[in-house]
Amino acid sequence: AQKVTQAQTEISVVEKEDVTLDCVYETRDTTYYLFWYKQPPSGELVFLIRRNSFDEQNEISGRYSWNFQKSTSSFNFTITASQVVDSAVYFCALSGNAGNNRKLIWGLGTSLAVNP
Amino acid sequence: GAVVSQHPSRVICKSGTSVKIECRSLDFQATTMFWYRQFPKKSLMLMATSNEGSKATYEQGVEKDKFLINHASLTLSTLTVTSAHPEESSLYICSARSGPTYGYTFGSGTRLTVV
C-alpha cells in the first residue's frame, strides 16, 4: 500500500528563519512520482514540484529546495529565509505509474506559520 | 500551462436542494479527473475518479447517489451533491491529469455551505 507521512502537523517560525518540512513515503512501485503543493488560506492548491523516482537530484528554485533520498524514502522541502507569504499548509503527495496507483496519495499536511 | 477552471467558487444552499459543481480543463483534454473533499484543517480526501465516457470510480465510503459525477466530455466533469445536508458543507476540489508527464492541475475549489 502507498502512504505519505508528514510528521510535522504545525510549524511556527520567525521571518528569515530557514525551515524544513519533512515527508516520508511508502510504496512498492519502482516508478512513482512525488509532489509538493502549497495551500494558502484562500484554499487554492499551488503546485510546487514533481519528482520521478529515477531522478534523485536535489532541486533548488529560489528560496525553495527539495532533498529526495530514496534510501530513506524521504522527500523533504526546505524554505530558506522564510517570509510571511510562505504561511500556508504544505502537502506532500505520491502517485504510482499505472492503473489505480495513478491517483495521488496525500500526506496530512504541515501548517507553516511565518511570523513577522 | 494547464489550467482547470472550477465553478462556482462559493455556494450557499438550503438543506434538501441539489448543487452542481463544474470542473473544466481549459487548454488541454483531460481523460481523467479527480474529485476531492477537504474539511477544515484536514488533508484532501479523494472522493472519486472520473473517466470520460464511463462511470466514475468511487472511493470506499463515498455514496454514489449522494455525489453524482458526470464526465461527458474531455474538458468537463461535474459533481452534483444531491439533496444536500449541512454535513456535506465542505471544500470540494477537482483535479485533472494534464498530459503524459503525470502532472496534476487543480481547480480553485468550491466552498459549499448547506444551511
Side-chain angles (χ1 to χ4, degrees):
Chain A
Q2 296 182 313
K3 184 179 179 182
V4 174
T5 302
Q6 293 180 257
Q8 305 146 308
T9 305
E10 295 181 355
I11 299 176
S12 181
V13 299
V14 177
E15 209 171 14
K16 297 185 182 178
E17 283 186 31
D18 298 346
V19 57
T20 296
L21 283 60
D22 297 333
C23 174
V24 174
Y25 63 93
E26 295 176 28
T27 181
R28 292 182 179 176
D29 290 347
T30 53
T31 301
Y32 53 89
Y33 300 85
L34 294 163
F35 302 80
W36 275 95
Y37 288 90
K38 173 182 180 181
Q39 189 177 40
S42 62
E44 186 166 356
L45 282 162
V46 178
F47 168 81
L48 296 178
I49 191 171
R50 176 178 60 89
R51 220 0 143 231
N52 74 56
S53 51
F54 298 108
D55 183 0
E56 284 194 72
Q57 282 191 342
N58 292 330
E59 179 148 342
I60 298 175
S61 177
R63 297 184 296 107
Y64 295 170
S65 62
W66 292 269
N67 185 340
F68 177 28
Q69 291 195 346
K70 289 179 75 171
S71 60
T72 56
S73 297
S74 65
F75 187 42
N76 296 337
F77 171 35
T78 298
I79 301 175
T80 303
S82 60
Q83 299 176 3
V84 173
V85 293
D86 295 327
S87 297
V89 179
Y90 291 86
F91 291 100
C92 180
L94 163 73
S95 77
N97 191 40
N100 201 40
N101 285 344
R102 284 180 177 166
K103 60 183 180 182
L104 282 169
I105 306 300
W106 296 84
L108 295 181
T110 297
S111 178
L112 173 65
V114 181
N115 303 298
Chain B
V3 177
V4 170
S5 175
Q6 186 174 345
H7 291 283
S9 57
R10 290 181 179 272
V11 58
I12 301 173
C13 71
K14 291 185 177 180
S15 185
T17 60
S18 296
V19 174
K20 180 184 283 188
I21 302 169
E22 290 189 350
C23 182
R24 294 180 184 274
S25 56
L26 296 186
D27 49 2
F28 66 99
Q29 293 183 332
T31 55
T32 303
M33 288 187 175
F34 304 89
W35 287 96
Y36 293 90
R37 184 175 179 180
Q38 187 180 29
F39 293 101
K41 298 190 177 183
K42 297 291 184 183
S43 188
L44 280 76
M45 181 191 79
L46 180 65
M47 299 173 64
T49 302
S50 166
N51 296 294
E52 186 267 336
S54 63
K55 291 183 179 180
T57 302
Y58 289 81
E59 296 297 303
Q60 192 172 7
V62 178
E63 296 179 56
K64 300 178 183 180
D65 295 333
K66 167 63 69 177
F67 300 102
L68 297 179
I69 291 172
N70 184 285
H71 193 163
S73 77
L74 285 171
T75 59
L76 174 65
S77 176
T78 60
L79 167 67
T80 301
V81 184
T82 62
S83 187
H85 291 105
E87 54 264 36
E88 277 112 46
S89 297
S90 188
L91 178 65
Y92 293 88
I93 302 173
C94 71
S95 171
R97 289 186 64 239
S98 46
T101 56
Y102 301 103
Y104 295 84
T105 304
F106 288 82
S108 54
T110 297
R111 199 167 295 278
L112 171 64
T113 303
V114 185
V115 298

